[in-house]
Structures are given as C-alpha cells and as structure tokens.
Amino acid sequence: MELRNLKTFLEVADSGNFTKTALALGYSQSAVTAQIKQLELELGVPVFDRLGKSISLTEAGRKLYQYAQEMLSLERDALDSIKNNEEMTGELRMGFEESLAISFLPDILYYYRFLHPGVDLIVKVMDFKSMLSALRENEIDLIYTLDRLYEKPDLARPRELAEPIRFICAASHPLASKETVSIEEIVNEPFIFTDSESNYRGELEQQLGKMNLRVHPLLEVQNTDIICRLVSMGIGISFVPDCVCRPYVKDKSIAILNVPEIDISMYRQMLYFKDKWQTPQMKAMIHLLTEIDFT
C-alpha cells in the first residue's frame, strides 16, 4: 500500500471531491481516480460511496481513514528524526502483560525500532502485581497492562482502550453454530483457564458466583496463545481477551460464543509514575502508544 495513495485518499475524504483533490495535490483527476481504484483493489472493498457528484466514506473507508492518518504521522516522525540527525540512544525498560505481549509487542517493537534504532529495549513479561512492584522499585520505566481501569493519584494513564473478553470454542464445536449460548451450557463444558491470578478470570468467577454457578477447569495454562491453540484442537472452551483469539477467529479455527449473560471487558493501559523524569526514550514510547491504535 503506497503512502502517496493514502495521502490522496485522505485528501479526497476531507475535501469530498476528486476535482478539488487533484487541484490541491497537483495531479490530474484521472490520476486521483486511479490511485483510489488501486487502494480499493488492494483492500478488496470500496472506500467511497459514489452517489452522483456526492461521495462519502464507506465503513471500510472510515476504518482506513484512521489507519492512514497514523501511518502518515509515523512517516513524518521518521523523516523528522532522520532530517534532524537526532538519533536517540540509551535504554528503555518496559513491563508487559502476557496477553498484550503476545498480541501487540512485536508490532510495537518494530515501529519503535524503526523510529529509534539506537535505543536498547528491555522488555519483561510480568503479571500486574509484579509490574507495579518493579515500577515502584524503578526497575522498569513504564508498564503496558490489561486490567480494570487502574486509578492512583501518583500514576499517569495517558490512554486506555477497552478489550472485550470472549468465550471461545473450536470452530467444529457444536456450540459454534448457535446464535446465542446460555451460561449454563458454558459451565457444563470442559474449560481451559488462565491461572488463578488472572484479573478477567476473577471477574468471571465473581459474576458466576452471583448466579450460583462455577466453572471446573479441565486445564490451567498461563499462556493465552497456547490456550487458543488447545481450544482450536477441540480440547475445551475458554475465556480470553479478544486480541489474543482474533487471529484464530480470522483463520476460522476458533469461534466466538455469544453469551448474553456475561459481558466483561478489561482495559489496555500504559502506566508510569507522574513524578518520574521522562527520558526521551520514555516520551517516544508514550507518543507511539497514544498516537497509534495497535489492533
């Protein structure tokens, strides 16, 4: 996907007119049309609804709009960094919750290293209590966690994103074909759970307790990616963050179960102490995680 096509797409979306876009960017109108068609061909869906002389973004176009802004912002950051010859060095120490590390850490590290190749990154995958302890002992600079909204007066939380927790089963499981599944059906299934310290497991068990219900784990596994693999093999069902099971749902080896009685979300949060001096390395990571929506 070429950045010039994304720039043209954003200009068309903002101006609402192909002719105005051509004038603003110095292209012919046919060149603008060709760039948009190339984008739509790459995506496999239209990004604009064309009704006479009026155009508007489709649902896919609205999603692309956000990503295009983020990608062009990243390009500007990269160019500014290179042009100003301000290669950052030093060290950044981070704590990551396990599910977020599985789902987002590779992309986060890739973008950060692209922008700041001279910085040494030290990443520790930890549970929330251990991360907070390491933060207080100044063993790490900031943490990226999945939990209930964590509000303390001495901690900064520049951004939070809701992460739904999903009941999942193998795509071949009889429950996968049902439009809705009752909680009674869920608790009677063999269950693969995260360890007992998991915050969303605790939330589920609390809600089940109010219904006088319990889940009896067939297995307890700390790694949520391994859980998804076991579920895809038909060994049991589970309850995991959407970000972890999404790739398996996409390749149709796992199905998400709609259980109306249970609706639990946790929050992806970056936390650091307000009174800690923010190094340039910290500021760069904070900027990355607040400006780009990793999904």
PDB file of all heavy atoms in Angstrom, residues 172-203:
ATOM      1  N   SER A 172     -15.282 -26.298  15.025  1.00  0.00           N
ATOM      2  CA  SER A 172     -16.036 -27.533  14.787  1.00  0.00           C
ATOM      3  C   SER A 172     -16.921 -27.931  15.972  1.00  0.00           C
ATOM      4  O   SER A 172     -17.661 -28.909  15.895  1.00  0.00           O
ATOM      5  CB  SER A 172     -15.059 -28.680  14.495  1.00  0.00           C
ATOM      6  OG  SER A 172     -14.150 -28.851  15.588  1.00  0.00           O
ATOM      7  N   HIS A 173     -16.866 -27.176  17.056  1.00  0.00           N
ATOM      8  CA  HIS A 173     -17.639 -27.494  18.266  1.00  0.00           C
ATOM      9  C   HIS A 173     -19.124 -27.273  18.001  1.00  0.00           C
ATOM     10  O   HIS A 173     -19.511 -26.335  17.298  1.00  0.00           O
ATOM     11  CB  HIS A 173     -17.173 -26.606  19.418  1.00  0.00           C
ATOM     12  CG  HIS A 173     -17.631 -27.043  20.767  1.00  0.00           C
ATOM     13  ND1 HIS A 173     -18.935 -26.912  21.191  1.00  0.00           N
ATOM     14  CD2 HIS A 173     -16.952 -27.628  21.798  1.00  0.00           C
ATOM     15  CE1 HIS A 173     -19.039 -27.374  22.434  1.00  0.00           C
ATOM     16  NE2 HIS A 173     -17.849 -27.816  22.819  1.00  0.00           N
ATOM     17  N   PRO A 174     -20.012 -28.121  18.549  1.00  0.00           N
ATOM     18  CA  PRO A 174     -21.463 -27.945  18.340  1.00  0.00           C
ATOM     19  C   PRO A 174     -21.984 -26.570  18.752  1.00  0.00           C
ATOM     20  O   PRO A 174     -22.928 -26.051  18.139  1.00  0.00           O
ATOM     21  CB  PRO A 174     -22.079 -29.055  19.206  1.00  0.00           C
ATOM     22  CG  PRO A 174     -21.017 -30.101  19.287  1.00  0.00           C
ATOM     23  CD  PRO A 174     -19.711 -29.367  19.279  1.00  0.00           C
ATOM     24  N   LEU A 175     -21.376 -25.942  19.789  1.00  0.00           N
ATOM     25  CA  LEU A 175     -21.843 -24.629  20.232  1.00  0.00           C
ATOM     26  C   LEU A 175     -21.518 -23.525  19.225  1.00  0.00           C
ATOM     27  O   LEU A 175     -22.147 -22.469  19.236  1.00  0.00           O
ATOM     28  CB  LEU A 175     -21.211 -24.267  21.576  1.00  0.00           C
ATOM     29  CG  LEU A 175     -21.645 -25.097  22.799  1.00  0.00           C
ATOM     30  CD1 LEU A 175     -20.903 -24.625  24.048  1.00  0.00           C
ATOM     31  CD2 LEU A 175     -23.154 -25.016  23.018  1.00  0.00           C
ATOM     32  N   ALA A 176     -20.542 -23.760  18.348  1.00  0.00           N
ATOM     33  CA  ALA A 176     -20.084 -22.725  17.418  1.00  0.00           C
ATOM     34  C   ALA A 176     -21.181 -22.302  16.444  1.00  0.00           C
ATOM     35  O   ALA A 176     -21.166 -21.172  15.946  1.00  0.00           O
ATOM     36  CB  ALA A 176     -18.859 -23.214  16.654  1.00  0.00           C
ATOM     37  N   SER A 177     -22.098 -23.174  16.162  1.00  0.00           N
ATOM     38  CA  SER A 177     -23.144 -22.869  15.188  1.00  0.00           C
ATOM     39  C   SER A 177     -24.364 -22.186  15.820  1.00  0.00           C
ATOM     40  O   SER A 177     -25.283 -21.785  15.108  1.00  0.00           O
ATOM     41  CB  SER A 177     -23.596 -24.155  14.487  1.00  0.00           C
ATOM     42  OG  SER A 177     -24.114 -25.076  15.430  1.00  0.00           O
ATOM     43  N   LYS A 178     -24.361 -22.027  17.134  1.00  0.00           N
ATOM     44  CA  LYS A 178     -25.522 -21.433  17.815  1.00  0.00           C
ATOM     45  C   LYS A 178     -25.424 -19.910  17.830  1.00  0.00           C
ATOM     46  O   LYS A 178     -24.344 -19.344  18.038  1.00  0.00           O
ATOM     47  CB  LYS A 178     -25.617 -21.961  19.248  1.00  0.00           C
ATOM     48  CG  LYS A 178     -25.799 -23.479  19.344  1.00  0.00           C
ATOM     49  CD  LYS A 178     -26.135 -23.923  20.760  1.00  0.00           C
ATOM     50  CE  LYS A 178     -27.508 -23.431  21.186  1.00  0.00           C
ATOM     51  NZ  LYS A 178     -27.918 -24.026  22.472  1.00  0.00           N
ATOM     52  N   GLU A 179     -26.562 -19.254  17.610  1.00  0.00           N
ATOM     53  CA  GLU A 179     -26.584 -17.792  17.603  1.00  0.00           C
ATOM     54  C   GLU A 179     -26.282 -17.239  18.990  1.00  0.00           C
ATOM     55  O   GLU A 179     -25.567 -16.247  19.140  1.00  0.00           O
ATOM     56  CB  GLU A 179     -27.946 -17.295  17.115  1.00  0.00           C
ATOM     57  CG  GLU A 179     -28.005 -15.792  16.916  1.00  0.00           C
ATOM     58  CD  GLU A 179     -29.299 -15.349  16.268  1.00  0.00           C
ATOM     59  OE1 GLU A 179     -29.955 -16.178  15.608  1.00  0.00           O
ATOM     60  OE2 GLU A 179     -29.649 -14.167  16.434  1.00  0.00           O
ATOM     61  N   THR A 180     -26.847 -17.846  20.009  1.00  0.00           N
ATOM     62  CA  THR A 180     -26.540 -17.493  21.395  1.00  0.00           C
ATOM     63  C   THR A 180     -26.338 -18.775  22.196  1.00  0.00           C
ATOM     64  O   THR A 180     -26.894 -19.826  21.859  1.00  0.00           O
ATOM     65  CB  THR A 180     -27.665 -16.668  22.054  1.00  0.00           C
ATOM     66  OG1 THR A 180     -28.880 -17.425  22.049  1.00  0.00           O
ATOM     67  CG2 THR A 180     -27.876 -15.351  21.323  1.00  0.00           C
ATOM     68  N   VAL A 181     -25.548 -18.648  23.245  1.00  0.00           N
ATOM     69  CA  VAL A 181     -25.250 -19.793  24.117  1.00  0.00           C
ATOM     70  C   VAL A 181     -25.543 -19.367  25.548  1.00  0.00           C
ATOM     71  O   VAL A 181     -25.146 -18.274  25.975  1.00  0.00           O
ATOM     72  CB  VAL A 181     -23.777 -20.227  23.984  1.00  0.00           C
ATOM     73  CG1 VAL A 181     -23.468 -21.390  24.925  1.00  0.00           C
ATOM     74  CG2 VAL A 181     -23.458 -20.605  22.540  1.00  0.00           C
ATOM     75  N   SER A 182     -26.241 -20.205  26.303  1.00  0.00           N
ATOM     76  CA  SER A 182     -26.557 -19.856  27.686  1.00  0.00           C
ATOM     77  C   SER A 182     -25.347 -20.097  28.575  1.00  0.00           C
ATOM     78  O   SER A 182     -24.484 -20.929  28.279  1.00  0.00           O
ATOM     79  CB  SER A 182     -27.746 -20.683  28.190  1.00  0.00           C
ATOM     80  OG  SER A 182     -27.360 -22.041  28.366  1.00  0.00           O
ATOM     81  N   ILE A 183     -25.311 -19.403  29.694  1.00  0.00           N
ATOM     82  CA  ILE A 183     -24.203 -19.581  30.624  1.00  0.00           C
ATOM     83  C   ILE A 183     -24.224 -20.982  31.228  1.00  0.00           C
ATOM     84  O   ILE A 183     -23.165 -21.546  31.551  1.00  0.00           O
ATOM     85  CB  ILE A 183     -24.227 -18.491  31.722  1.00  0.00           C
ATOM     86  CG1 ILE A 183     -22.914 -18.501  32.505  1.00  0.00           C
ATOM     87  CG2 ILE A 183     -25.430 -18.645  32.627  1.00  0.00           C
ATOM     88  CD1 ILE A 183     -21.690 -18.218  31.687  1.00  0.00           C
ATOM     89  N   GLU A 184     -25.412 -21.577  31.343  1.00  0.00           N
ATOM     90  CA  GLU A 184     -25.498 -22.955  31.848  1.00  0.00           C
ATOM     91  C   GLU A 184     -24.805 -23.933  30.906  1.00  0.00           C
ATOM     92  O   GLU A 184     -24.146 -24.879  31.351  1.00  0.00           O
ATOM     93  CB  GLU A 184     -26.961 -23.360  32.053  1.00  0.00           C
ATOM     94  CG  GLU A 184     -27.653 -22.692  33.238  1.00  0.00           C
ATOM     95  CD  GLU A 184     -28.093 -21.268  32.934  1.00  0.00           C
ATOM     96  OE1 GLU A 184     -28.064 -20.870  31.748  1.00  0.00           O
ATOM     97  OE2 GLU A 184     -28.440 -20.546  33.880  1.00  0.00           O
ATOM     98  N   GLU A 185     -24.930 -23.681  29.600  1.00  0.00           N
ATOM     99  CA  GLU A 185     -24.224 -24.530  28.629  1.00  0.00           C
ATOM    100  C   GLU A 185     -22.714 -24.358  28.750  1.00  0.00           C
ATOM    101  O   GLU A 185     -21.954 -25.323  28.622  1.00  0.00           O
ATOM    102  CB  GLU A 185     -24.685 -24.180  27.205  1.00  0.00           C
ATOM    103  CG  GLU A 185     -26.111 -24.597  26.888  1.00  0.00           C
ATOM    104  CD  GLU A 185     -26.530 -24.122  25.508  1.00  0.00           C
ATOM    105  OE1 GLU A 185     -26.751 -22.899  25.334  1.00  0.00           O
ATOM    106  OE2 GLU A 185     -26.631 -24.974  24.602  1.00  0.00           O
ATOM    107  N   ILE A 186     -22.297 -23.130  29.012  1.00  0.00           N
ATOM    108  CA  ILE A 186     -20.860 -22.845  29.122  1.00  0.00           C
ATOM    109  C   ILE A 186     -20.240 -23.596  30.296  1.00  0.00           C
ATOM    110  O   ILE A 186     -19.192 -24.243  30.160  1.00  0.00           O
ATOM    111  CB  ILE A 186     -20.621 -21.326  29.284  1.00  0.00           C
ATOM    112  CG1 ILE A 186     -20.940 -20.593  27.972  1.00  0.00           C
ATOM    113  CG2 ILE A 186     -19.198 -21.033  29.749  1.00  0.00           C
ATOM    114  CD1 ILE A 186     -19.968 -20.841  26.853  1.00  0.00           C
ATOM    115  N   VAL A 187     -20.865 -23.512  31.463  1.00  0.00           N
ATOM    116  CA  VAL A 187     -20.237 -24.080  32.668  1.00  0.00           C
ATOM    117  C   VAL A 187     -20.224 -25.604  32.632  1.00  0.00           C
ATOM    118  O   VAL A 187     -19.479 -26.230  33.406  1.00  0.00           O
ATOM    119  CB  VAL A 187     -20.933 -23.575  33.955  1.00  0.00           C
ATOM    120  CG1 VAL A 187     -20.797 -22.069  34.079  1.00  0.00           C
ATOM    121  CG2 VAL A 187     -22.402 -23.989  34.001  1.00  0.00           C
ATOM    122  N   ASN A 188     -21.016 -26.213  31.770  1.00  0.00           N
ATOM    123  CA  ASN A 188     -21.020 -27.676  31.661  1.00  0.00           C
ATOM    124  C   ASN A 188     -19.951 -28.196  30.698  1.00  0.00           C
ATOM    125  O   ASN A 188     -19.780 -29.410  30.557  1.00  0.00           O
ATOM    126  CB  ASN A 188     -22.404 -28.170  31.220  1.00  0.00           C
ATOM    127  CG  ASN A 188     -23.431 -28.068  32.333  1.00  0.00           C
ATOM    128  OD1 ASN A 188     -23.091 -28.238  33.505  1.00  0.00           O
ATOM    129  ND2 ASN A 188     -24.679 -27.761  31.979  1.00  0.00           N
ATOM    130  N   GLU A 189     -19.239 -27.279  30.034  1.00  0.00           N
ATOM    131  CA  GLU A 189     -18.208 -27.681  29.084  1.00  0.00           C
ATOM    132  C   GLU A 189     -16.851 -27.807  29.781  1.00  0.00           C
ATOM    133  O   GLU A 189     -16.584 -27.109  30.767  1.00  0.00           O
ATOM    134  CB  GLU A 189     -18.083 -26.629  27.968  1.00  0.00           C
ATOM    135  CG  GLU A 189     -19.264 -26.586  27.014  1.00  0.00           C
ATOM    136  CD  GLU A 189     -19.335 -27.811  26.122  1.00  0.00           C
ATOM    137  OE1 GLU A 189     -18.265 -28.333  25.735  1.00  0.00           O
ATOM    138  OE2 GLU A 189     -20.457 -28.254  25.828  1.00  0.00           O
ATOM    139  N   PRO A 190     -15.980 -28.687  29.271  1.00  0.00           N
ATOM    140  CA  PRO A 190     -14.600 -28.719  29.794  1.00  0.00           C
ATOM    141  C   PRO A 190     -13.914 -27.383  29.492  1.00  0.00           C
ATOM    142  O   PRO A 190     -13.951 -26.894  28.366  1.00  0.00           O
ATOM    143  CB  PRO A 190     -13.948 -29.870  29.026  1.00  0.00           C
ATOM    144  CG  PRO A 190     -14.793 -30.067  27.814  1.00  0.00           C
ATOM    145  CD  PRO A 190     -16.183 -29.684  28.200  1.00  0.00           C
ATOM    146  N   PHE A 191     -13.326 -26.790  30.530  1.00  0.00           N
ATOM    147  CA  PHE A 191     -12.839 -25.417  30.435  1.00  0.00           C
ATOM    148  C   PHE A 191     -11.329 -25.350  30.593  1.00  0.00           C
ATOM    149  O   PHE A 191     -10.755 -26.004  31.466  1.00  0.00           O
ATOM    150  CB  PHE A 191     -13.503 -24.566  31.526  1.00  0.00           C
ATOM    151  CG  PHE A 191     -13.860 -23.185  31.088  1.00  0.00           C
ATOM    152  CD1 PHE A 191     -15.082 -22.918  30.498  1.00  0.00           C
ATOM    153  CD2 PHE A 191     -12.966 -22.134  31.257  1.00  0.00           C
ATOM    154  CE1 PHE A 191     -15.416 -21.640  30.085  1.00  0.00           C
ATOM    155  CE2 PHE A 191     -13.284 -20.859  30.853  1.00  0.00           C
ATOM    156  CZ  PHE A 191     -14.515 -20.606  30.265  1.00  0.00           C
ATOM    157  N   ILE A 192     -10.695 -24.560  29.725  1.00  0.00           N
ATOM    158  CA  ILE A 192      -9.263 -24.299  29.844  1.00  0.00           C
ATOM    159  C   ILE A 192      -9.101 -22.871  30.346  1.00  0.00           C
ATOM    160  O   ILE A 192      -9.485 -21.922  29.658  1.00  0.00           O
ATOM    161  CB  ILE A 192      -8.542 -24.469  28.487  1.00  0.00           C
ATOM    162  CG1 ILE A 192      -8.826 -25.848  27.897  1.00  0.00           C
ATOM    163  CG2 ILE A 192      -7.041 -24.268  28.665  1.00  0.00           C
ATOM    164  CD1 ILE A 192      -8.316 -26.020  26.478  1.00  0.00           C
ATOM    165  N   PHE A 193      -8.558 -22.718  31.550  1.00  0.00           N
ATOM    166  CA  PHE A 193      -8.485 -21.423  32.198  1.00  0.00           C
ATOM    167  C   PHE A 193      -7.057 -20.897  32.234  1.00  0.00           C
ATOM    168  O   PHE A 193      -6.092 -21.662  32.227  1.00  0.00           O
ATOM    169  CB  PHE A 193      -8.984 -21.516  33.643  1.00  0.00           C
ATOM    170  CG  PHE A 193     -10.252 -20.764  33.901  1.00  0.00           C
ATOM    171  CD1 PHE A 193     -11.164 -21.233  34.827  1.00  0.00           C
ATOM    172  CD2 PHE A 193     -10.535 -19.573  33.252  1.00  0.00           C
ATOM    173  CE1 PHE A 193     -12.331 -20.548  35.097  1.00  0.00           C
ATOM    174  CE2 PHE A 193     -11.701 -18.878  33.509  1.00  0.00           C
ATOM    175  CZ  PHE A 193     -12.595 -19.369  34.432  1.00  0.00           C
ATOM    176  N   THR A 194      -6.944 -19.580  32.302  1.00  0.00           N
ATOM    177  CA  THR A 194      -5.678 -18.973  32.683  1.00  0.00           C
ATOM    178  C   THR A 194      -5.469 -19.227  34.173  1.00  0.00           C
ATOM    179  O   THR A 194      -6.344 -19.757  34.856  1.00  0.00           O
ATOM    180  CB  THR A 194      -5.711 -17.463  32.416  1.00  0.00           C
ATOM    181  OG1 THR A 194      -6.926 -16.924  32.974  1.00  0.00           O
ATOM    182  CG2 THR A 194      -5.691 -17.164  30.936  1.00  0.00           C
ATOM    183  N   ASP A 195      -4.300 -18.838  34.691  1.00  0.00           N
ATOM    184  CA  ASP A 195      -4.025 -19.116  36.103  1.00  0.00           C
ATOM    185  C   ASP A 195      -4.951 -18.305  37.000  1.00  0.00           C
ATOM    186  O   ASP A 195      -5.590 -17.345  36.579  1.00  0.00           O
ATOM    187  CB  ASP A 195      -2.551 -18.837  36.431  1.00  0.00           C
ATOM    188  CG  ASP A 195      -2.204 -17.374  36.258  1.00  0.00           C
ATOM    189  OD1 ASP A 195      -2.491 -16.591  37.167  1.00  0.00           O
ATOM    190  OD2 ASP A 195      -1.661 -17.018  35.194  1.00  0.00           O
ATOM    191  N   SER A 196      -5.004 -18.677  38.266  1.00  0.00           N
ATOM    192  CA  SER A 196      -5.979 -18.101  39.194  1.00  0.00           C
ATOM    193  C   SER A 196      -5.734 -16.620  39.480  1.00  0.00           C
ATOM    194  O   SER A 196      -6.616 -15.942  40.004  1.00  0.00           O
ATOM    195  CB  SER A 196      -5.959 -18.882  40.515  1.00  0.00           C
ATOM    196  OG  SER A 196      -4.657 -18.854  41.083  1.00  0.00           O
ATOM    197  N   GLU A 197      -4.548 -16.091  39.141  1.00  0.00           N
ATOM    198  CA  GLU A 197      -4.255 -14.675  39.359  1.00  0.00           C
ATOM    199  C   GLU A 197      -4.807 -13.782  38.247  1.00  0.00           C
ATOM    200  O   GLU A 197      -4.760 -12.562  38.353  1.00  0.00           O
ATOM    201  CB  GLU A 197      -2.736 -14.470  39.460  1.00  0.00           C
ATOM    202  CG  GLU A 197      -2.085 -15.172  40.644  1.00  0.00           C
ATOM    203  CD  GLU A 197      -2.616 -14.664  41.973  1.00  0.00           C
ATOM    204  OE1 GLU A 197      -2.726 -13.435  42.141  1.00  0.00           O
ATOM    205  OE2 GLU A 197      -2.929 -15.502  42.836  1.00  0.00           O
ATOM    206  N   SER A 198      -5.325 -14.383  37.176  1.00  0.00           N
ATOM    207  CA  SER A 198      -5.826 -13.606  36.044  1.00  0.00           C
ATOM    208  C   SER A 198      -6.995 -12.715  36.472  1.00  0.00           C
ATOM    209  O   SER A 198      -7.953 -13.180  37.087  1.00  0.00           O
ATOM    210  CB  SER A 198      -6.277 -14.556  34.924  1.00  0.00           C
ATOM    211  OG  SER A 198      -7.066 -13.878  33.985  1.00  0.00           O
ATOM    212  N   ASN A 199      -6.906 -11.426  36.128  1.00  0.00           N
ATOM    213  CA  ASN A 199      -7.955 -10.490  36.546  1.00  0.00           C
ATOM    214  C   ASN A 199      -9.291 -10.792  35.892  1.00  0.00           C
ATOM    215  O   ASN A 199     -10.342 -10.716  36.532  1.00  0.00           O
ATOM    216  CB  ASN A 199      -7.520  -9.045  36.261  1.00  0.00           C
ATOM    217  CG  ASN A 199      -6.906  -8.878  34.897  1.00  0.00           C
ATOM    218  OD1 ASN A 199      -7.385  -9.434  33.911  1.00  0.00           O
ATOM    219  ND2 ASN A 199      -5.832  -8.105  34.822  1.00  0.00           N
ATOM    220  N   TYR A 200      -9.289 -11.145  34.597  1.00  0.00           N
ATOM    221  CA  TYR A 200     -10.574 -11.400  33.943  1.00  0.00           C
ATOM    222  C   TYR A 200     -11.151 -12.751  34.352  1.00  0.00           C
ATOM    223  O   TYR A 200     -12.371 -12.935  34.359  1.00  0.00           O
ATOM    224  CB  TYR A 200     -10.482 -11.266  32.415  1.00  0.00           C
ATOM    225  CG  TYR A 200      -9.325 -11.971  31.749  1.00  0.00           C
ATOM    226  CD1 TYR A 200      -9.419 -13.290  31.373  1.00  0.00           C
ATOM    227  CD2 TYR A 200      -8.138 -11.292  31.480  1.00  0.00           C
ATOM    228  CE1 TYR A 200      -8.365 -13.933  30.739  1.00  0.00           C
ATOM    229  CE2 TYR A 200      -7.079 -11.931  30.856  1.00  0.00           C
ATOM    230  CZ  TYR A 200      -7.197 -13.246  30.486  1.00  0.00           C
ATOM    231  OH  TYR A 200      -6.151 -13.889  29.866  1.00  0.00           O
ATOM    232  N   ARG A 201     -10.305 -13.695  34.711  1.00  0.00           N
ATOM    233  CA  ARG A 201     -10.830 -14.939  35.291  1.00  0.00           C
ATOM    234  C   ARG A 201     -11.529 -14.626  36.608  1.00  0.00           C
ATOM    235  O   ARG A 201     -12.624 -15.125  36.872  1.00  0.00           O
ATOM    236  CB  ARG A 201      -9.704 -15.943  35.519  1.00  0.00           C
ATOM    237  CG  ARG A 201     -10.179 -17.175  36.295  1.00  0.00           C
ATOM    238  CD  ARG A 201      -9.096 -18.206  36.494  1.00  0.00           C
ATOM    239  NE  ARG A 201      -9.562 -19.284  37.359  1.00  0.00           N
ATOM    240  CZ  ARG A 201      -8.871 -20.391  37.619  1.00  0.00           C
ATOM    241  NH1 ARG A 201      -7.670 -20.576  37.086  1.00  0.00           N
ATOM    242  NH2 ARG A 201      -9.361 -21.317  38.416  1.00  0.00           N
ATOM    243  N   GLY A 202     -10.898 -13.785  37.434  1.00  0.00           N
ATOM    244  CA  GLY A 202     -11.515 -13.411  38.708  1.00  0.00           C
ATOM    245  C   GLY A 202     -12.846 -12.719  38.514  1.00  0.00           C
ATOM    246  O   GLY A 202     -13.817 -12.987  39.244  1.00  0.00           O
ATOM    247  N   GLU A 203     -12.923 -11.831  37.517  1.00  0.00           N
ATOM    248  CA  GLU A 203     -14.182 -11.133  37.233  1.00  0.00           C
ATOM    249  C   GLU A 203     -15.265 -12.113  36.803  1.00  0.00           C
ATOM    250  O   GLU A 203     -16.424 -12.020  37.236  1.00  0.00           O
ATOM    251  CB  GLU A 203     -13.953 -10.080  36.153  1.00  0.00           C
ATOM    252  CG  GLU A 203     -15.141  -9.209  35.835  1.00  0.00           C
ATOM    253  CD  GLU A 203     -15.462  -8.213  36.925  1.00  0.00           C
ATOM    254  OE1 GLU A 203     -14.560  -7.869  37.708  1.00  0.00           O
ATOM    255  OE2 GLU A 203     -16.635  -7.783  37.000  1.00  0.00           O
TER     256      GLU A 203
END
